[in-house]
Amino acid sequence: MSDALALPRPITARPAAYDRAVRLQDASDEWLAGRAARGDTAAFEQLVLRHQDRLYTLALRVTLNEADARDCVQEGLISAWRSMARFRGDAKFSTWMYRIVMRKAYDALDKRKRTPQPVDELPLTVVEPQIADRLDLDAALAQLEPDFRAAAVACDVVGLSMDEAAEVLGIPPGTVKSRLFRARDRLAVILDPERSS
Amino acid sequence: MSDEHDRIARLLREQGQAEAPPDLVGDVMAQVRREPQATPMHRGVNWRPIATWAAVAAALLAVGVGIAQLAPGGSSSSSGSAGGGGSSVAAEAAGGGKSAPAYPSADSAVRSFTVPRHEAEKLLSGETNEQFSTVGRSTLTLDRAQWNALRGKLAAAAARHPHPKDPVIVRLRPD
């Protein structure tokens, strides 16, 4: 009886934080970058969450070292945060971040001055085939010159277009194309030695 | 060759991906929250175009003032072809009367001269009219006929005394 007479419950508003989180997830990179440029750390965090894997992939495949890759991404993201105010939307935000991380990766390579690991030191025979393929790939990438490796990673691993890769690498698109061609050619030989014979 | 390249590209795309360490975001954001951000964008007022327009406006104003200075009748030089240059101001200061109106400085258009008081008395001594007494006056007004008769002498007097100590403005009565 009392239930029948009870007034309907007011619709409880969703928490503001929930709405905000949903809005951030749906927002474009450029909108988030604009918010981050005005000091919104939540917007910047959304950008980091969105791009961290690809940034890490880029750094890892160029530096070929997990610790270096992590440092590159971390330092690159901090640099991006510090200079968010200078991002004016001339390029895609993701391209801008990739470029920062790519520079960090090149810096790491210059600092390290380490020669690539030889293929025969990798334990290819004691791992599962799928992992072995990946190790093959890592070893093959390690045999490429850094500039060719960077072109292959930017275009084929990360999936950037030729123009985006050119912007990230700071070279003309034609140079990216030729480096990518040579990198693929070289990788084909490394991964399939019979081809060279 | 193309098939081989496609195979390599597919291999890189499928096997080249990596996942970021799980604590990377936390570490980055912890540092971000400690880091002061660079100066935010000044989205409010862009001063550069405003400054440019202000400079242009100032230049135009300066040009305008310059033209006004050079233009005929633009200053008290109309008070005499030779005796101008602020003499009407001096006359006003001396007598406290109305200042000479600004007229074009062409000779035919000059309608006032600033001359020393004694020169004015001498030139106007032939006139019997009481109104030409210079005692206690800073401005004397002549009608057209008198003006035409005395204009040459007044101009010469003004030229001889460009900055008279005790000036009197002799002018043509306005029509």
Side-chain angles (χ1 to χ4, degrees):
Chain A
M1 187 68 175
S2 62
D3 285 346
L5 295 175
L7 293 170
R9 287 183 180 180
I11 300 170
T12 53
R14 289 177 300 185
Y18 174 82
D19 280 347
R20 179 170 164 70
V22 169
R23 199 169 66 224
L24 290 178
Q25 283 175 7
D26 293 341
S28 69
D29 280 1
E30 283 63 38
W31 188 86
L32 291 169
R35 299 281 306 177
R38 292 192 287 275
D40 187 339
T41 54
F44 187 74
E45 185 171 16
Q46 184 62 37
L47 286 168
V48 174
L49 286 166
R50 201 174 280 182
H51 293 285
Q52 61 168 340
D53 285 342
R54 294 174 83 194
L55 289 169
Y56 182 75
T57 297
L58 180 77
L60 178 64
R61 299 300 173 217
V62 173
T63 63
L64 303 169
N65 181 285
E66 289 183 359
D68 284 345
R70 183 193 169 99
D71 288 346
C72 288
V73 175
Q74 195 161 344
E75 290 172 13
L77 288 170
I78 298 298
S79 294
W81 168 253
R82 286 180 187 147
S83 54
M84 280 302 298
R86 288 201 291 274
F87 175 70
R88 295 192 174 278
D90 299 335
K92 280 172 66 178
F93 178 78
S94 56
T95 309
W96 183 66
M97 289 235 290
Y98 293 146
R99 180 165 190 166
I100 292 174
V101 171
M102 182 65 89
R103 281 201 205 114
K104 298 285 181 188
Y106 270 109
D107 289 347
L109 288 177
D110 288 343
K111 196 183 294 181
R112 197 169 43 178
K113 297 285 185 188
R114 194 166 61 188
T115 51
Q117 288 181 313
V119 178
D120 55 1
E121 287 185 8
L122 294 171
L124 296 181
T125 55
V126 295
V127 293
E128 296 175 12
Q130 194 175 3
I131 298 174
D133 286 346
R134 181 162 295 185
L135 290 173
D136 274 345
L137 183 65
D138 288 347
L141 283 171
Q143 293 189 45
L144 294 179
E145 290 291 318
D147 287 340
F148 297 108
R149 185 164 68 237
V153 168
C155 293
D156 287 343
V157 179
V158 179
L160 300 179
S161 69
M162 209 66 78
D163 288 339
E164 288 172 334
E167 198 166 333
V168 168
L169 295 167
I171 54 177
T175 309
V176 176
K177 193 173 182 181
S178 71
R179 285 183 185 177
L180 179 62
F181 183 88
R182 292 180 63 181
R184 285 175 178 170
D185 218 26
R186 180 93 177 106
L187 285 171
V189 172
I190 293 169
L191 293 170
D192 186 9
E194 292 177 5
R195 180 176 174 268
S196 60
S197 60
Chain B
M1 180 67 76
S2 177
D3 288 345
E4 189 70 10
H5 281 204
D6 289 345
R7 187 180 72 81
I8 295 297
R10 191 170 59 250
L11 184 71
L12 288 169
R13 186 171 60 250
E14 291 172 353
Q15 299 189 13
Q17 306 299 323
E19 285 187 8
D23 55 344
L24 179 65
V25 176
D27 286 355
V28 168
M29 291 314 297
Q31 198 168 344
V32 159
R33 291 188 180 96
R34 287 196 304 268
E35 285 276 337
Q37 201 175 21
T39 307
M41 274 186 273
H42 295 291
R43 291 171 188 245
V45 178
N46 186 1
W47 289 103
R48 182 170 292 181
I50 295 173
T52 304
W53 282 110
V56 169
L60 288 174
L61 185 65
V63 169
V65 168
I67 290 172
Q69 292 279 349
L70 294 174
S75 72
S76 58
S77 63
S78 63
S79 62
S81 58
S87 51
S88 67
V89 175
E92 186 172 8
K98 292 179 182 177
S99 62
Y103 294 107
S105 61
D107 284 347
S108 61
V110 171
R111 299 185 179 204
S112 72
F113 291 103
T114 301
V115 297
R117 188 172 296 275
H118 69 273
E119 290 275 5
E121 287 173 350
K122 188 169 71 179
L123 289 170
L124 298 172
S125 59
E127 302 291 339
T128 55
N129 197 325
E130 191 66 25
Q131 65 173 316
F132 296 121
S133 168
T134 62
V135 178
R137 304 179 68 173
S138 62
T139 304
L140 296 173
T141 304
L142 306 180
D143 58 26
R144 175 67 66 181
Q146 293 163 334
W147 175 262
N148 288 339
L150 294 174
R151 189 172 63 184
K153 294 177 181 175
L154 286 169
R160 283 196 303 273
H161 305 282
H163 301 290
K165 287 182 181 175
D166 187 11
V168 173
I169 298 171
V170 182
R171 68 179 185 177
L172 171 65
R173 185 188 305 281
D175 294 330

